[in-house]
Amino acid sequence: MNELVALAVLAAMVQGDYKTAGLVAFFMLIAEVIETRTAEGAHASIESLIRLTPSTARRLTEDGEEEVAASELTPGDRVRVLPGETIPADGSIDSGRTTLNESSITGESMPADKGPGQEVYAGTTNLTGALDFTVSRIGEDTTIGRVRDLILAAERTKLPIMLIIDKYIAYYTPVILMLA
């Protein structure tokens, strides 16, 4: 596309049609700005998704509770989450009943009631009761980490029509130039 636009601008300038050359260049710049802003917005959304997970966690030990970095959690650790806090890792509830806002993961606007034996997911918010859970997945392995990876993979994946276009684009420009 860039070669064709450059040729259009060059041809318009050679013919002395500077308005057309300027308009073609202007529309190309506008398209580039829109594409860049869209990509930046997607990356900002991904980063805000990752920021949903807290940086610290309340790990339960034999001596009581200790505040640790969420990155220090390992599968098998027991963690306590109080009302208003965000779940730091995926796991299974050992004790306590609560209502969780899981909209960041499921998109469901209604909070979910949870109790012993049920799964909790990193990045969800504990709304009502305290709960203790056993960590099963941390970091990139959590549900929210996998959602992030899927979004990034989808961003890199080309649509089937784009693959077809890429296959034939090497022939398209020369053919169009010969026809012109």
Side-chain angles (χ1 to χ4, degrees):
M1 186 171 89
N2 290 337
E3 289 106 3
L4 292 176
V5 169
L7 284 172
V9 169
L10 186 62
M13 289 180 73
V14 166
Q15 291 181 349
D17 193 356
Y18 300 111
K19 287 181 186 178
T20 301
L23 279 174
V24 169
F26 175 75
F27 285 125
M28 185 63 182
L29 286 173
I30 294 295
E32 193 73 30
V33 167
I34 291 170
E35 183 179 343
T36 302
R37 300 264 330 246
T38 302
E40 287 173 357
H43 287 289
S45 295
I46 292 168
E47 292 307 315
S48 68
L49 184 67
I50 295 306
R51 281 192 298 261
L52 288 175
T53 56
S55 57
T56 61
R58 190 176 286 107
R59 182 167 47 198
L60 298 174
T61 64
E62 294 174 1
D63 301 328
E65 295 178 9
E66 66 177 350
E67 187 134 337
V68 297
S71 59
E72 292 179 24
L73 292 175
T74 58
D77 283 347
R78 292 195 64 228
V79 176
R80 177 166 289 152
V81 181
L82 301 176
E85 294 180 343
T86 303
I87 309 290
D90 287 2
S92 178
I93 298 175
D94 297 326
S95 64
R97 294 190 96 39
T98 190
T99 303
L100 294 176
N101 177 359
E102 295 180 328
S103 62
S104 59
I105 300 292
T106 64
E108 177 64 43
S109 62
M110 294 298 293
D113 293 329
K114 298 282 184 163
Q118 292 184 297
E119 290 284 317
V120 293
Y121 305 106
T124 59
T125 306
N126 183 10
L127 299 176
T128 57
L131 62 93
D132 296 343
F133 73 95
T134 302
V135 174
S136 60
R137 292 183 301 272
I138 57 167
E140 298 291 319
D141 295 331
T142 62
T143 303
I144 203 163
R146 291 193 316 246
V147 167
R148 175 186 169 267
D149 292 343
L150 287 172
I151 292 170
L152 290 173
E155 190 176 80
R156 288 188 300 267
T157 303
K158 289 189 175 188
L159 295 172
I161 189 71
M162 295 302 292
L163 295 173
I164 292 170
I165 290 171
D166 286 347
K167 183 176 179 181
Y168 294 107
I169 196 71
Y171 306 108
Y172 177 77
T173 303
V175 168
I176 293 299
L177 288 176
M178 285 190 293
L179 289 174

